[in-house]
Amino acid sequence: MTAEDTQHPDLQRLLRWEDAGGTWSVAARHTVGSGGAGEEVTLSLLTCDGGEEMDVLTTQDPAVLQHVDRGAQ
């Protein structure tokens, strides 16, 4: 079993996007759940030149939120 096998599918998708040269930007981020227990982020997945939005990823995966917080791209 590899580390990738244990990653949430949303994180795998984002890392594949980055590995292919794509970039992303935070389109929205807000608190969700009763009592504000969690967070959700929406990312615009952009072409490698950062110009065109190709897809959108919305997730509550804590690993993706940590990745975004680190500013990794």
Side-chain angles (χ1 to χ4, degrees), residues 12-13 15 17 20 26 38 56 59 67:
Q12 289 178 4
R13 179 178 173 199
L15 295 176
W17 187 260
V26 177
V56 175
T59 185
H67 189 74

Side-chain angles (χ1 to χ4, degrees), residues 10-34:
D10 290 342
L11 181 58
Q12 289 178 4
R13 179 178 173 199
L14 182 57
L15 295 176
R16 279 193 310 270
W17 187 260
E18 290 177 347
D19 288 346
T23 62
W24 52 265
S25 68
V26 177
R29 187 171 183 163
H30 58 275
T31 306
V32 295
S34 61

